[in-house]
Amino acid sequence: MSDLLPQDPDELFDVVDERGQPTGVVKRRADVHRDGDWHRAVHVWIVGLDADEPFILFQRRSPGKDTWPGKLDATAAGHLRAGESVTDAMREVEEELGIVPDLDALRHIGTRFCVSDTMAKWIDREVLEIYLLRDDRSLRAYSPAVAEVAGLAHFALNPLLALFNGTGDHASATVLDAATGTISMVDVPLDDFIPVTDDYFARVAQAARAALRGDQDVLLEPAPFVW
């Protein structure tokens, strides 16, 4: 990927069907998004404990991203390049956040079939593998890639769930600015997050809370919709 671009439009993706099965077709990233082809992606959510308080990290997407620029999303996210496995795609954590993930600490919690056709230029259809990654390090340990990531936001889980459940109008976050390295406290409203209609972020936060309290069989609750 270019150091000057948040994504490479010529990056090659394997096209899959609506069940996530390979079709044998390989296309450019820009063409896949233009045509609305199903393709594979991964979300890695970093969660942990800070003085026994459960937290989750969100990434604020670069303003140059081709989908949902400037919005809050999974801690690290990426598409699978043509021929890659999900394990290969874990490179996104190091590329985006500047840390080497402990692959043994990853926990797969579900697969999400999601569609976004609200962008003016793109139809994004993803078969998304979702992982939790336990990591208790502070925000100072991260070096986000400025071309892809505008910042990292550290949320305490319980106030964040209150926002997602409609019982609060904002959640406070400690935010690391990728460009300056400064850390500040910010009140974050719901519309700062990528819009979803399947309660995705709330379901991830609930799964994170269960994992951090030691539950062994943590999966995303079933989704009512896709977005």
Side-chain angles (χ1 to χ4, degrees):
M1 182 177 297
S2 166
D3 292 336
L4 300 177
L5 294 173
Q7 63 274 317
D8 178 358
D10 293 324
E11 190 174 24
L12 296 179
F13 293 167
D14 290 317
V15 176
V16 298
D17 64 21
E18 66 277 6
R19 297 165 296 175
Q21 298 302 306
T23 65
V25 176
V26 176
K27 294 175 67 171
R28 296 170 61 249
R29 175 192 184 109
D31 297 336
V32 163
H33 283 159
R34 179 198 65 203
D35 299 339
D37 296 309
W38 285 96
H39 54 287
R40 300 181 68 205
V42 62
H43 274 183
V44 178
W45 293 92
I46 293 180
V47 301
L49 294 174
D50 180 9
D52 294 326
E53 180 76 19
F55 71 83
I56 188 169
L57 299 185
F58 276 73
Q59 172 192 133
R60 188 173 294 280
R61 295 166 66 82
S62 161
K65 280 288 192 180
D66 57 357
T67 56
W68 301 115
K71 294 292 187 180
L72 289 167
D73 197 5
T75 326
H79 297 90
L80 273 67
R81 297 171 183 161
E84 277 193 326
S85 68
V86 170
T87 301
D88 294 330
M90 292 302 166
R91 62 181 160 70
E92 294 287 352
V93 178
E94 184 173 2
E95 288 178 5
E96 294 187 357
L97 306 181
I99 64 165
V100 178
D102 177 2
L103 298 183
D104 291 335
L106 287 165
R107 179 181 292 196
H108 184 255
I109 59 170
T111 302
R112 182 174 179 243
F113 294 79
C114 51
V115 178
S116 173
D117 59 4
T118 59
M119 302 296 290
K121 296 167 58 179
W122 305 115
I123 302 171
D124 197 16
R125 293 189 173 98
E126 291 185 343
V127 181
L128 182 61
E129 302 299 339
I130 305 162
Y131 290 83
L132 299 180
L133 175 61
R134 171 71 184 270
D135 196 320
D136 294 342
R137 283 182 281 188
S138 73
L139 285 176
R140 291 288 184 196
Y142 296 87
S143 300
V146 177
E148 297 190 68
V149 182
L152 287 177
H154 173 293
F155 290 92
L157 274 175
N158 291 332
L160 184 64
L161 277 166
L163 174 65
F164 292 149
N165 294 333
T167 57
D169 57 8
H170 69 270
S172 295
T174 306
V175 176
L176 170 66
D177 185 285
T180 66
T182 58
I183 290 179
S184 58
M185 291 295 297
V186 177
D187 288 337
V188 180
L190 191 59
D191 62 8
D192 266 17
F193 297 83
I194 289 176
V196 297
T197 59
D198 64 347
D199 298 328
Y200 174 55
F201 295 140
R203 292 185 298 121
V204 168
Q206 289 161 355
R209 185 167 60 182
L212 290 167
R213 71 182 176 220
D215 291 5
Q216 296 302 307
D217 298 318
V218 176
L219 294 173
L220 283 185
E221 292 295 322
F225 309 102
V226 293
W227 55 276

